[in-house]
Amino acid sequence: EVQLVESGGGLVQPGGSLRLSCAASGFTFSSYWMVWVRQAPGKGPVYVSEINSDGSVTRYADSVKDRFTISRDNAKNTLYLQMNSLRAEDTAVYYCARGGYGGGYDYWGQGILVTGSS
Amino acid sequence: QSALTQPPSASGSPGQSVTISCTGTSSDVGTYNLVSWYQQHPGKAPKLMIYEISKRPSGVPDRFSGSKSGNTVSLTVSGLQAEDEADYYCSSYARSNNYVFGTGTKVTVL
């Protein structure tokens, strides 16, 4: 069974940093693109960042470029999102998801709340 | 990159059909076939219902279907059931080299 479990969320002051982790199991992690998507309270999902299977290609939404860094450790089956210079508008539930065929994200974690507030 | 435009709400009675539109531009929906639809129940993660405009992942009922015309894609749910009541979001690959989601449509089963 495919499972994605996020951790590392919480309350952080504006300007602070946080690292999210996503532990993957039930599939060959090293064969898939992975993505982070966030969803602010009452809003729709928003693409944040993605990484290819071996970590050599990364992409970011303009809103997080130069502040967030996506990475992965295929030996540990874990995806990461390092978030620096956090702002109040980064407050959201952050989901990790697996990149499936045709651009769709076919498996999602349960999500982790990040709150950027003083 | 602006969000794709969806109607805020749609509704239908059990057994009826409902169609949700998702309008983008020539920089996303109009050019690429990498369009997906997601269903999201309150407090849950999104679930992939359609990918590549009209393909269904394993386990998704064939009551769900997708189509495209120009810069607009559509999701049709036929034979509405109570469990179809949820928020639905479209998503498309965009020329800016990332993905953009839609504004979301709340489907109500009357």
Side-chain angles (χ1 to χ4, degrees):
Chain A
E1 177 193 7
V2 172
Q3 283 198 326
L4 298 169
V5 180
E6 300 95 340
S7 61
L11 176 66
V12 59
Q13 290 192 343
S17 298
L18 212 55
R19 189 177 84 155
L20 303 183
S21 299
C22 171
S25 61
F27 66 102
T28 305
F29 180 72
S30 59
S31 296
Y32 289 86
W33 283 72
M34 296 295 295
V35 66
W36 288 99
V37 174
R38 69 185 181 186
Q39 188 168 24
K43 303 293 186 181
V46 174
Y47 168 97
V48 173
S49 181
E50 67 181 332
I51 188 168
N52 73 333
S53 58
D54 67 7
S56 61
V57 176
T58 58
R59 297 172 181 159
Y60 299 90
D62 288 344
S63 58
V64 306
K65 203 172 295 184
D66 299 326
R67 298 190 300 123
F68 290 11
T69 302
I70 191 172
S71 62
R72 65 192 297 162
D73 186 334
N74 285 344
K76 295 182 178 179
N77 291 341
T78 302
L79 174 72
Y80 302 102
L81 185 68
Q82 177 68 43
M83 304 185 293
N84 298 331
S85 303
L86 278 162
R87 306 167 180 166
E89 54 265 37
D90 294 319
T91 294
V93 173
Y94 284 72
Y95 295 98
C96 66
R98 188 179 84 168
Y101 296 115
Y105 307 134
D106 57 358
Y107 288 94
W108 295 62
Q110 83 285 357
I112 190 85
L113 179 63
V114 171
T115 304
S117 173
S118 54
Chain B
Q1 184 70 46
S2 300
L4 307 176
T5 301
Q6 297 181 232
S9 62
S11 63
S13 299
Q16 289 187 332
S17 295
V18 64
T19 296
I20 304 165
S21 63
C22 167
T23 301
T25 68
S26 57
S27 296
D28 39 63
V29 172
T31 296
Y32 302 101
N33 288 334
L34 298 178
V35 176
S36 305
W37 286 93
Y38 298 89
Q39 176 192 68
Q40 187 176 33
H41 288 109
K44 300 293 187 181
K47 175 186 176 183
L48 180 65
M49 305 302 285
I50 295 285
Y51 67 97
E52 285 184 22
I53 298 177
S54 59
K55 298 179 180 178
R56 284 185 307 278
S58 173
V60 173
D62 59 7
R63 303 185 294 103
F64 291 84
S65 61
S67 62
K68 174 180 168 177
S69 177
N71 292 341
T72 298
V73 290
S74 299
L75 173 72
T76 297
V77 185
S78 306
L80 266 175
Q81 300 182 4
E83 59 262 34
D84 299 332
E85 184 162 297
D87 293 325
Y88 291 82
Y89 297 93
C90 57
S91 175
S92 173
Y93 183 75
R95 193 169 295 160
S96 53
N97 225 19
N98 55 32
Y99 285 82
V100 59
F101 284 86
T103 51
T105 299
K106 181 176 180 59
V107 169
T108 301
V109 180
L110 301 171

Coordinates of all heavy atoms in Angstrom, one line a residue, chain A residues 14-87:
Chain A
P14 N 7.3 34.8 11.7 CA 7.7 35.3 10.4 C 9.2 35.5 10.4 O 9.8 36.0 11.3 CB 7.0 36.7 10.3 CG 5.7 36.5 11.1 CD 6.2 35.6 12.3
G15 N 9.8 35.1 9.2 CA 11.3 35.2 9.1 C 12.0 33.9 9.6 O 13.2 33.7 9.3
G16 N 11.2 33.0 10.2 CA 11.8 31.8 10.7 C 11.9 30.7 9.6 O 11.6 30.9 8.5
S17 N 12.4 29.5 10.1 CA 12.6 28.4 9.2 C 12.0 27.2 9.7 O 11.8 27.0 10.9 CB 14.1 28.2 9.0 OG 14.8 29.3 8.4
L18 N 11.7 26.3 8.8 CA 11.1 25.0 9.1 C 11.5 24.0 8.1 O 11.6 24.4 6.9 CB 9.6 25.2 9.2 CG 8.7 24.3 10.2 CD1 9.2 24.5 11.6 CD2 7.3 24.8 10.0
R19 N 11.6 22.7 8.4 CA 11.9 21.7 7.4 C 10.8 20.6 7.5 O 10.6 20.0 8.6 CB 13.3 21.0 7.6 CG 13.6 20.1 6.4 CD 15.0 19.5 6.5 NE 15.0 18.3 7.3 CZ 15.9 17.4 7.2 NH1 16.9 17.4 6.2 NH2 15.9 16.3 8.0
L20 N 10.1 20.4 6.4 CA 9.1 19.4 6.3 C 9.7 18.1 5.8 O 10.6 18.2 4.9 CB 8.0 19.8 5.4 CG 7.2 21.1 5.8 CD1 6.1 21.3 4.8 CD2 6.8 21.1 7.2
S21 N 9.3 17.0 6.3 CA 9.7 15.7 5.7 C 8.5 14.9 5.3 O 7.3 15.1 5.8 CB 10.4 14.9 6.8 OG 11.6 15.5 7.3
C22 N 8.7 14.1 4.3 CA 7.6 13.2 3.8 C 8.2 11.8 3.7 O 9.0 11.6 2.8 CB 7.1 13.7 2.5 SG 5.9 12.6 1.6
A23 N 7.8 10.9 4.5 CA 8.3 9.5 4.5 C 7.4 8.7 3.6 O 6.2 8.6 3.7 CB 8.3 8.9 5.9
A24 N 8.0 8.1 2.6 CA 7.3 7.3 1.6 C 7.5 5.8 1.8 O 8.5 5.4 2.2 CB 7.7 7.7 0.2
S25 N 6.4 5.0 1.5 CA 6.5 3.6 1.6 C 5.5 3.0 0.6 O 4.6 3.6 0.2 CB 6.3 3.1 3.0 OG 5.0 3.5 3.5
G26 N 5.7 1.7 0.3 CA 4.8 1.0 -0.5 C 5.0 1.1 -2.0 O 4.2 0.6 -2.8
F27 N 6.1 1.8 -2.4 CA 6.4 1.9 -3.8 C 7.9 2.2 -4.0 O 8.6 2.5 -3.0 CB 5.5 3.0 -4.5 CG 5.8 4.4 -4.0 CD1 6.6 5.3 -4.8 CD2 5.3 4.9 -2.8 CE1 6.8 6.6 -4.4 CE2 5.5 6.2 -2.4 CZ 6.2 7.0 -3.2
T28 N 8.4 2.1 -5.2 CA 9.8 2.4 -5.4 C 10.0 3.9 -5.5 O 9.9 4.5 -6.6 CB 10.3 1.7 -6.7 OG1 10.0 0.3 -6.7 CG2 11.8 1.9 -6.9
F29 N 10.3 4.5 -4.4 CA 10.4 6.0 -4.2 C 11.3 6.6 -5.3 O 11.0 7.6 -5.9 CB 10.9 6.3 -2.8 CG 11.0 7.8 -2.5 CD1 9.9 8.6 -2.4 CD2 12.2 8.3 -2.3 CE1 10.0 9.9 -2.1 CE2 12.4 9.7 -2.0 CZ 11.3 10.5 -1.9
S30 N 12.4 5.9 -5.5 CA 13.5 6.5 -6.4 C 13.1 6.5 -7.9 O 13.8 7.0 -8.7 CB 14.8 5.7 -6.2 OG 14.5 4.3 -6.6
S31 N 11.9 6.0 -8.2 CA 11.4 6.0 -9.6 C 10.5 7.1 -9.9 O 10.1 7.3 -11.1 CB 10.8 4.7 -9.9 OG 11.7 3.6 -9.8
Y32 N 10.1 7.9 -8.9 CA 9.0 8.9 -9.1 C 9.4 10.3 -8.9 O 10.2 10.6 -7.9 CB 7.8 8.6 -8.2 CG 7.1 7.3 -8.6 CD1 7.5 6.1 -8.2 CD2 5.9 7.4 -9.5 CE1 6.8 4.9 -8.6 CE2 5.3 6.2 -9.9 CZ 5.7 5.0 -9.4 OH 5.0 3.9 -9.8
W33 N 8.8 11.2 -9.7 CA 8.8 12.6 -9.3 C 8.0 12.8 -8.1 O 7.0 12.0 -7.8 CB 8.2 13.5 -10.4 CG 9.0 13.7 -11.6 CD1 9.4 12.8 -12.6 CD2 9.6 15.0 -12.0 NE1 10.1 13.5 -13.6 CE2 10.3 14.8 -13.2 CE3 9.5 16.3 -11.5 CZ2 10.9 15.8 -13.9 CZ3 10.2 17.3 -12.2 CH2 10.9 17.1 -13.4
M34 N 8.3 13.8 -7.2 CA 7.5 14.1 -6.1 C 7.3 15.6 -6.0 O 8.0 16.4 -6.5 CB 8.3 13.7 -4.8 CG 8.5 12.2 -4.7 SD 7.0 11.2 -4.5 CE 6.4 11.7 -2.9
V35 N 6.2 16.0 -5.3 CA 5.8 17.4 -5.3 C 5.3 17.8 -4.0 O 4.8 16.9 -3.2 CB 4.7 17.6 -6.4 CG1 3.4 16.8 -6.0 CG2 4.3 19.1 -6.6
W36 N 5.4 19.0 -3.7 CA 4.8 19.7 -2.5 C 3.7 20.6 -3.0 O 3.9 21.4 -3.9 CB 5.8 20.5 -1.7 CG 6.8 19.6 -0.9 CD1 8.1 19.3 -1.2 CD2 6.5 19.0 0.4 NE1 8.6 18.5 -0.3 CE2 7.7 18.3 0.7 CE3 5.4 18.9 1.3 CZ2 7.8 17.6 1.9 CZ3 5.5 18.2 2.4 CH2 6.7 17.5 2.8
V37 N 2.5 20.5 -2.4 CA 1.4 21.3 -2.7 C 0.9 21.9 -1.4 O 0.9 21.1 -0.4 CB 0.3 20.5 -3.4 CG1 -1.0 21.4 -3.6 CG2 0.8 20.0 -4.8
R38 N 0.5 23.1 -1.4 CA -0.1 23.7 -0.1 C -1.5 24.2 -0.3 O -1.9 24.5 -1.5 CB 0.8 24.8 0.4 CG 0.9 26.1 -0.4 CD 1.9 27.0 0.2 NE 2.0 28.3 -0.5 CZ 2.9 29.2 -0.2 NH1 3.8 29.0 0.7 NH2 2.9 30.4 -0.9
Q39 N -2.2 24.3 0.8 CA -3.6 24.7 0.7 C -3.9 25.6 1.9 O -3.9 25.1 3.1 CB -4.5 23.5 0.7 CG -6.0 23.9 0.4 CD -6.8 22.6 0.1 OE1 -6.5 21.5 0.4 NE2 -7.9 22.8 -0.6
A40 N -4.0 26.9 1.7 CA -4.4 27.8 2.8 C -5.8 27.5 3.2 O -6.6 27.0 2.5 CB -4.2 29.2 2.3
P41 N -6.1 27.9 4.5 CA -7.5 27.6 5.0 C -8.6 28.2 4.1 O -8.5 29.4 3.8 CB -7.5 28.3 6.4 CG -6.0 28.3 6.8 CD -5.2 28.5 5.5
G42 N -9.5 27.3 3.7 CA -10.6 27.8 2.9 C -10.3 28.1 1.4 O -11.1 28.5 0.7
K43 N -9.1 27.8 1.0 CA -8.6 28.1 -0.4 C -8.3 26.8 -1.1 O -8.4 25.7 -0.6 CB -7.4 28.9 -0.3 CG -7.6 30.2 0.4 CD -8.5 31.2 -0.3 CE -8.6 32.5 0.4 NZ -9.6 33.4 -0.2
G44 N -8.0 26.9 -2.4 CA -7.7 25.7 -3.2 C -6.2 25.4 -3.1 O -5.4 26.1 -2.6
P45 N -5.9 24.2 -3.6 CA -4.5 23.8 -3.6 C -3.6 24.7 -4.5 O -4.1 25.2 -5.5 CB -4.5 22.4 -4.1 CG -5.9 22.0 -4.1 CD -6.7 23.2 -4.2
V46 N -2.3 24.8 -4.1 CA -1.4 25.6 -4.9 C -0.1 24.8 -5.0 O 0.4 24.3 -4.0 CB -1.1 27.0 -4.2 CG1 0.0 27.7 -4.9 CG2 -2.4 27.8 -4.2
Y47 N 0.4 24.7 -6.2 CA 1.7 24.0 -6.4 C 2.8 24.8 -5.7 O 2.9 26.1 -5.8 CB 1.9 24.0 -7.9 CG 3.3 23.6 -8.4 CD1 3.6 22.3 -8.8 CD2 4.3 24.6 -8.6 CE1 4.8 22.0 -9.3 CE2 5.5 24.2 -9.0 CZ 5.8 22.9 -9.4 OH 7.0 22.6 -9.9
V48 N 3.7 24.1 -5.1 CA 4.8 24.8 -4.4 C 6.2 24.4 -5.1 O 6.9 25.3 -5.5 CB 4.9 24.4 -2.9 CG1 6.1 24.9 -2.2 CG2 3.6 24.8 -2.2
S49 N 6.4 23.1 -5.2 CA 7.7 22.7 -5.7 C 7.7 21.2 -6.1 O 6.8 20.5 -5.6 CB 8.8 22.9 -4.6 OG 10.1 22.5 -5.1
E50 N 8.5 20.8 -7.0 CA 8.6 19.4 -7.4 C 10.1 19.1 -7.7 O 10.9 19.9 -7.9 CB 7.7 19.1 -8.6 CG 8.1 19.8 -9.9 CD 7.2 19.4 -11.0 OE1 6.6 18.3 -11.0 OE2 7.1 20.3 -11.9
I51 N 10.3 17.8 -7.7 CA 11.7 17.2 -7.8 C 11.6 15.9 -8.6 O 10.7 15.2 -8.4 CB 12.4 17.0 -6.5 CG1 13.8 16.7 -6.6 CG2 11.6 16.0 -5.6 CD1 14.6 16.8 -5.3
N52 N 12.6 15.7 -9.5 CA 12.5 14.5 -10.3 C 13.1 13.3 -9.5 O 13.5 13.5 -8.3 CB 13.3 14.7 -11.6 CG 14.8 14.8 -11.5 OD1 15.3 15.1 -10.4 ND2 15.5 14.4 -12.5
S53 N 13.1 12.2 -10.1 CA 13.3 10.9 -9.4 C 14.7 10.9 -8.7 O 14.9 10.3 -7.6 CB 13.1 9.7 -10.3 OG 14.0 9.8 -11.4
D54 N 15.7 11.4 -9.4 CA 17.1 11.4 -8.8 C 17.5 12.7 -8.1 O 18.7 12.8 -7.7 CB 18.1 10.9 -9.8 CG 18.3 11.9 -10.9 OD1 17.8 13.0 -10.9 OD2 19.1 11.6 -11.9
G55 N 16.7 13.6 -8.1 CA 17.0 14.9 -7.4 C 17.7 15.9 -8.3 O 18.1 17.0 -7.7
S56 N 17.9 15.6 -9.5 CA 18.8 16.5 -10.3 C 18.0 17.7 -10.9 O 18.6 18.7 -11.4 CB 19.4 15.7 -11.5 OG 18.4 15.1 -12.3
V57 N 16.7 17.6 -10.9 CA 15.8 18.6 -11.5 C 14.8 19.1 -10.4 O 14.1 18.3 -9.8 CB 15.0 18.2 -12.7 CG1 14.1 19.3 -13.2 CG2 16.0 17.8 -13.8
T58 N 14.8 20.4 -10.1 CA 13.9 21.0 -9.2 C 13.1 22.2 -9.8 O 13.7 22.9 -10.6 CB 14.5 21.4 -7.9 OG1 15.6 22.4 -8.2 CG2 15.2 20.2 -7.2
R59 N 11.9 22.3 -9.4 CA 11.1 23.5 -9.9 C 10.4 24.1 -8.7 O 10.0 23.4 -7.8 CB 10.1 23.0 -11.0 CG 10.8 22.4 -12.2 CD 9.8 21.8 -13.1 NE 10.4 21.2 -14.3 CZ 9.8 20.3 -15.1 NH1 8.6 19.9 -14.8 NH2 10.4 19.9 -16.2
Y60 N 10.1 25.4 -8.8 CA 9.5 26.1 -7.7 C 8.4 27.1 -8.3 O 8.6 27.7 -9.3 CB 10.5 26.9 -6.9 CG 11.6 26.1 -6.3 CD1 12.7 25.8 -6.9 CD2 11.4 25.5 -5.0 CE1 13.7 25.0 -6.3 CE2 12.3 24.7 -4.4 CZ 13.5 24.5 -5.1 OH 14.5 23.7 -4.5
A61 N 7.4 27.3 -7.5 CA 6.5 28.4 -7.7 C 7.2 29.7 -7.5 O 8.1 29.8 -6.6 CB 5.2 28.3 -6.8
D62 N 6.9 30.7 -8.2 CA 7.5 32.0 -8.0 C 7.4 32.5 -6.6 O 8.4 33.2 -6.1 CB 6.9 33.1 -9.0 CG 7.3 32.8 -10.4 OD1 8.3 32.1 -10.7 OD2 6.6 33.4 -11.3
S63 N 6.3 32.2 -5.9 CA 6.1 32.7 -4.6 C 7.0 32.2 -3.5 O 7.2 32.7 -2.4 CB 4.6 32.4 -4.2 OG 4.4 31.0 -4.2
V64 N 7.7 31.1 -3.9 CA 8.6 30.5 -2.9 C 10.0 30.4 -3.4 O 10.9 30.0 -2.6 CB 8.1 29.1 -2.4 CG1 6.7 29.1 -2.0 CG2 8.3 28.0 -3.6
K65 N 10.3 30.7 -4.6 CA 11.6 30.6 -5.2 C 12.6 31.5 -4.3 O 12.3 32.6 -3.9 CB 11.6 31.1 -6.6 CG 12.7 30.6 -7.5 CD 12.4 31.0 -9.0 CE 11.2 30.4 -9.5 NZ 11.0 30.7 -11.0
D66 N 13.7 30.9 -4.1 CA 14.8 31.5 -3.3 C 14.6 31.5 -1.8 O 15.4 32.0 -1.1 CB 15.1 33.0 -3.8 CG 15.5 33.1 -5.2 OD1 16.2 32.2 -5.7 OD2 15.1 34.1 -5.9
R67 N 13.4 31.0 -1.4 CA 13.2 30.8 0.0 C 13.0 29.4 0.4 O 13.4 29.0 1.5 CB 11.9 31.6 0.4 CG 11.9 33.1 0.2 CD 10.7 33.8 0.8 NE 9.4 33.3 0.3 CZ 8.4 32.8 1.0 NH1 8.6 32.6 2.3 NH2 7.3 32.4 0.4
F68 N 12.4 28.6 -0.4 CA 12.2 27.2 -0.2 C 13.2 26.3 -1.0 O 13.5 26.7 -2.1 CB 10.8 26.8 -0.5 CG 9.7 27.3 0.4 CD1 10.0 28.3 1.3 CD2 8.4 26.9 0.3 CE1 9.0 28.8 2.1 CE2 7.4 27.4 1.1 CZ 7.7 28.4 2.0
T69 N 13.6 25.2 -0.4 CA 14.4 24.2 -1.2 C 13.8 22.8 -1.0 O 13.6 22.3 0.1 CB 15.8 24.2 -0.6 OG1 16.4 25.6 -0.8 CG2 16.7 23.3 -1.4
I70 N 13.6 22.2 -2.1 CA 13.1 20.8 -2.1 C 14.3 19.9 -2.3 O 15.2 20.2 -3.1 CB 12.0 20.6 -3.2 CG1 11.3 19.2 -3.1 CG2 12.7 20.7 -4.6 CD1 10.1 19.1 -4.0
S71 N 14.3 18.7 -1.7 CA 15.3 17.7 -1.8 C 14.8 16.4 -1.5 O 13.6 16.2 -1.0 CB 16.5 18.1 -0.9 OG 16.1 18.0 0.5
R72 N 15.5 15.4 -1.7 CA 15.1 14.0 -1.4 C 16.3 13.1 -1.1 O 17.4 13.4 -1.5 CB 14.3 13.4 -2.6 CG 15.1 13.2 -3.9 CD 14.2 12.9 -5.1 NE 13.5 11.7 -4.9 CZ 12.4 11.3 -5.6 NH1 11.9 12.2 -6.5 NH2 11.8 10.2 -5.4
D73 N 16.0 12.1 -0.3 CA 17.0 11.1 0.1 C 16.4 9.8 -0.4 O 15.6 9.2 0.4 CB 17.4 11.1 1.5 CG 18.5 10.2 1.9 OD1 18.7 9.2 1.2 OD2 19.1 10.5 3.0
N74 N 16.8 9.3 -1.5 CA 16.3 8.0 -2.0 C 16.7 6.8 -1.2 O 15.9 5.8 -1.1 CB 16.6 7.8 -3.5 CG 15.9 8.7 -4.4 OD1 14.9 9.3 -4.0 ND2 16.3 8.8 -5.6
A75 N 17.8 6.9 -0.5 CA 18.2 5.8 0.4 C 17.2 5.7 1.6 O 17.0 4.6 2.2 CB 19.6 6.0 0.9
K76 N 16.7 6.8 2.0 CA 15.8 6.9 3.2 C 14.3 7.0 2.8 O 13.4 7.1 3.6 CB 16.1 8.1 4.1 CG 17.5 8.0 4.7 CD 17.7 9.2 5.7 CE 19.1 9.0 6.4 NZ 19.4 10.2 7.3
N77 N 14.0 7.0 1.5 CA 12.7 7.1 1.0 C 12.0 8.3 1.6 O 10.8 8.3 2.0 CB 11.8 5.8 1.3 CG 12.3 4.6 0.5 OD1 13.0 4.8 -0.6 ND2 12.0 3.4 1.0
T78 N 12.7 9.4 1.6 CA 12.1 10.6 2.2 C 12.3 11.9 1.3 O 13.4 12.1 0.7 CB 12.8 10.9 3.6 OG1 12.6 9.7 4.4 CG2 12.2 12.1 4.3
L79 N 11.2 12.7 1.3 CA 11.2 13.9 0.6 C 11.3 15.0 1.6 O 10.7 14.9 2.7 CB 9.9 14.0 -0.2 CG 9.6 15.3 -0.9 CD1 10.5 15.5 -2.2 CD2 8.1 15.4 -1.4
Y80 N 11.9 16.1 1.3 CA 12.1 17.3 2.2 C 11.6 18.6 1.6 O 11.7 18.7 0.3 CB 13.5 17.4 2.7 CG 14.1 16.2 3.3 CD1 14.9 15.3 2.6 CD2 13.8 15.9 4.7 CE1 15.5 14.2 3.2 CE2 14.3 14.8 5.3 CZ 15.2 13.9 4.6 OH 15.7 12.8 5.2
L81 N 11.3 19.5 2.4 CA 11.0 20.9 2.0 C 11.6 21.8 3.1 O 11.1 21.9 4.2 CB 9.6 21.2 1.8 CG 9.3 22.6 1.2 CD1 9.8 22.7 -0.3 CD2 7.8 22.9 1.2
Q82 N 12.7 22.4 2.8 CA 13.3 23.4 3.7 C 12.7 24.8 3.4 O 12.8 25.3 2.2 CB 14.8 23.5 3.5 CG 15.5 24.5 4.3 CD 15.5 24.2 5.8 OE1 15.7 23.0 6.2 NE2 15.2 25.2 6.6
M83 N 12.1 25.3 4.4 CA 11.4 26.6 4.2 C 12.1 27.7 5.1 O 12.1 27.6 6.3 CB 9.9 26.5 4.6 CG 9.2 25.4 3.9 SD 7.4 25.3 4.3 CE 7.5 24.8 5.9
N84 N 12.6 28.7 4.4 CA 13.3 29.8 5.1 C 12.5 31.1 4.9 O 11.7 31.2 4.0 CB 14.7 29.9 4.6 CG 15.6 28.7 4.8 OD1 15.4 28.0 5.8 ND2 16.5 28.5 3.9
S85 N 12.8 32.1 5.7 CA 12.2 33.4 5.5 C 10.7 33.3 5.4 O 10.0 33.9 4.6 CB 12.7 34.1 4.3 OG 14.1 34.2 4.4
L86 N 10.1 32.5 6.3 CA 8.7 32.3 6.3 C 7.9 33.5 6.5 O 8.3 34.4 7.3 CB 8.3 31.2 7.3 CG 8.5 29.8 6.8 CD1 8.6 28.8 8.0 CD2 7.5 29.3 5.8
R87 N 6.8 33.6 5.8 CA 5.8 34.7 5.9 C 4.5 34.3 6.4 O 4.2 33.1 6.3 CB 5.7 35.4 4.5 CG 7.0 35.7 3.8 CD 6.8 36.1 2.4 NE 8.1 36.4 1.7 CZ 8.2 36.5 0.4 NH1 7.2 36.2 -0.4 NH2 9.4 36.9 -0.1

